[in-house]
Each structure stands twice: as C-alpha cells, then as structure tokens.
Amino acid sequence: MTSKELEKVLELLRSYPSWKGIQEQRALEGELVFPVAEDVHCEPVDAGGVPAEWISAPKAAEEWVLYYLHGGGYAMGSISTHREMISRLARAAGVRALAIDYRLAPENPFPAAVEDSLAAYRWLLSSGVDPSKVIIGGDSAGGGLTVTTMVALRDAGEPLPAAGVCISPWVDMEGIGKSMTTKAEVDPVVTKDVVVEMAKLYLGKADPRAPLAAPIYAELRGLPPLLIQVGTSEVLLDDSVRLAERARSAGVHVTLETWDDMFHVWHSYAAMLPEGQQAIERVGEFIRKLIG
C-alpha cells in the first residue's frame, strides 16, 4: 500500500515545466534540492583529475566506500543535486560515499563520462582503498554508468568492486523497451522523447548500441553481484528487467526489486516520501550484508 505522501509528490512532479531543451532543464534542476543533515560531513577532493566529494554521516566504516555516479541523462545532474540522497544512502549503509562530477554531454559526449568514472575509481584504489570494500552505485544514467564502469574495468583486467547498485538505471540508448509505451501514461518524470533526445546529446556520433554507452548490449559475465531497484510506474522499467535478465544469463547474482507505483529515482524525494527512504534502507541492508 502506497503512502499518503505519494500523491503530493506526484502533484509536484506533474507541475514541473515540460522539456524545452537541455539548457532550460539545467537552469531548473537546482530548484528542488533538499538540504543535507547537519551531522553529514562533506569534503571536496580531486579524484585523479575528476571533481569529487567525500560524503559521510557519523559512525561510517572508514574502510568501506560507496562510489556514487549521479543521474541526469549524462547531460545534467551533479554532486550538488544528488548530495542529500547520497548522504542518506551512505548513512543507511554505514559507509563513506565518494561522489564525482563526471563531464557532461553534449559538451563532452561519450565516452567522457566513462573515462572520468574509471579515472576516479583508479584514484580511489591508488589512495589505498581495497576494491573488495568498494560498492559502485548510481541512479538513472549513473546506474547505466555503474554497469559500464565495471564492464570496462573487467575488460582491462583491473580489480572489480564488491558489488554494484543500480537505481532506475538507463541502459538502452534507443528506448525500445515495451514499458516505454505501456508506462507512458503513468510515468510523471520521463518520456520516450526525452530519452531519445538525451541519448543523442550523449552519443554524438557513437553507435547507440556501443556496449559502454548502452550496457544492455555489454557482455556481463564476471561482474560482481548487482542490486537493481526500479518503480513500476517508470517508462524505464524494462531497462531494469532486461538488464537483470541479461546479467543472470551471464551468471551474475542479481537482486531485482520492482517497487509498486514508484516513479523514476523516487529515492531522491526521501525527505518527503516514505517509500524513498524505505528503498534507501534496502540499499543499506544490501551493503551491510556485504560488510558482514
């Protein structure tokens, strides 16, 4: 049963202006940014040439790190827009988080985001963090980038993290999942037109089925365990379902959670939506089991 707060959040989402282009959306994205709790510590850092920030709550396990990649269609979003949600994830898991500001499209098209994610991850390991105590996580585009980062690391023969967490991941640049149509009337956040437009901005001249751009086409064998969370009111629902199916067929241990009536990255509204905090706590449980 959904909470009474859900309808209030849905009304807020429906009141947002429709898509008018990337510059207009960037101008609007900071309008609803929740403040971080007073006991959260944030420390900017240069992560191998990539702007980054340590985010942690009290009693965080110093040796464990949630390496976080924000969403925003590869063309929007930042540490600033995601800091509050990341702080909640870090607190729920009892770990430190390292968030990065990878380069955005269209100014920096694919594979810039992948390059920056790899660079910051390598910096993290070079600083002395054990890869077996790192969890890579991300939402939306950052969820897709979570997968492509691990695929690229595996292909390069480099150490993989302990696990990956994908929140409403975007893994198909063409938007061909059935839910693009079947969920179009109930999704208050994303439309197929916007997905296709964002994909064009990100890809530039790249193949929309390039595995490191669209990890639904990547070979996933050998990846660490994955937690995938997605709402049933998302046009991107089938991105998660198909990703889980492909990962399982490749021998990857996958936990797929579909949350009834939830919209794209509902976690970001945890300050006013109980289901958002509940999903964050589930991520925390997943990570705490790894910690033991």
Side-chain angles (χ1 to χ4, degrees):
M1 184 175 179
T2 57
S3 69
K4 61 183 180 181
E5 290 86 354
L6 176 59
E7 190 54 41
K8 294 179 181 179
V9 175
L10 291 175
E11 288 178 9
L12 178 64
L13 292 171
R14 293 172 185 135
S15 72
Y16 288 166
S18 59
W19 174 268
K20 291 184 173 62
I22 188 60
Q23 297 306 329
E24 290 83 354
Q25 293 303 124
R26 286 176 175 175
L28 293 170
E29 67 178 346
E31 287 193 358
L32 185 62
V33 175
F34 296 106
V36 175
E38 291 183 0
D39 64 347
V40 171
H41 180 69
C42 302
E43 180 184 352
V45 64
D46 181 328
V50 181
E53 186 172 294
W54 286 109
I55 301 171
S56 61
K59 300 181 181 180
E62 290 291 317
E63 69 274 19
W64 282 83
V65 176
L66 171 61
Y67 176 52
Y68 200 84
L69 307 168
H70 70 77
Y74 295 106
M76 300 188 303
S78 66
I79 295 171
S80 295
T81 60
H82 283 66
R83 184 180 289 115
E84 199 269 345
M85 183 178 77
I86 296 169
S87 72
R88 287 175 179 267
L89 288 163
R91 189 191 300 273
V95 301
R96 295 187 296 163
L98 179 70
I100 71 168
D101 271 335
Y102 53 84
R103 287 170 292 166
L104 299 178
E107 296 86 353
N108 300 281
F110 172 79
V114 182
E115 293 170 347
D116 287 358
S117 179
L118 290 170
Y121 178 84
R122 289 164 178 155
W123 171 85
L124 182 62
L125 269 54
S126 72
S127 71
V129 175
D130 184 341
S132 69
K133 294 181 178 175
V134 176
I135 299 91
I136 298 184
D139 62 279
S140 194
L145 187 56
T146 292
V147 180
T148 57
T149 298
M150 293 191 291
V151 168
L153 289 169
R154 181 207 60 202
D155 290 351
E158 298 183 54
L160 289 168
V165 174
C166 301
I167 297 172
S168 299
W170 179 29
V171 297
D172 169 15
M173 294 288 110
E174 297 170 297
I176 59 177
K178 290 182 179 179
S179 57
M180 282 287 164
T181 301
T182 60
K183 300 297 181 178
E185 295 299 319
V186 296
D187 192 324
V189 179
V190 183
T191 68
K192 180 172 181 176
D193 288 345
V194 170
V195 168
V196 172
E197 179 64 24
M198 298 293 267
K200 290 178 180 177
L201 294 175
Y202 179 52
L203 290 170
K205 297 180 180 179
D207 182 352
R209 297 194 177 189
L212 293 187
I216 194 67
Y217 297 107
E219 169 55 61
L220 303 178
R221 192 170 304 279
L223 296 192
L226 293 176
L227 170 64
I228 304 171
Q229 292 183 329
V230 65
T232 62
S233 292
E234 298 195 45
V235 295
L236 287 170
L237 172 61
D238 280 350
D239 278 40
S240 289
V241 173
R242 289 181 293 151
L243 175 64
E245 289 173 348
R246 283 187 52 81
R248 284 174 180 147
S249 67
V252 178
H253 184 273
V254 180
T255 302
L256 172 64
E257 296 183 358
T258 55
W259 287 64
D260 290 344
D261 303 316
M262 290 300 109
F263 52 88
H264 190 59
V265 196
W266 68 100
H267 312 57
S268 61
Y269 288 84
M272 57 190 300
L273 182 67
E275 291 91 343
Q277 185 60 36
Q278 290 161 12
I280 286 172
E281 294 297 337
R282 277 288 304 122
V283 174
E285 290 173 17
F286 176 79
I287 295 174
R288 286 178 182 274
K289 284 183 179 179
L290 294 172
I291 295 174

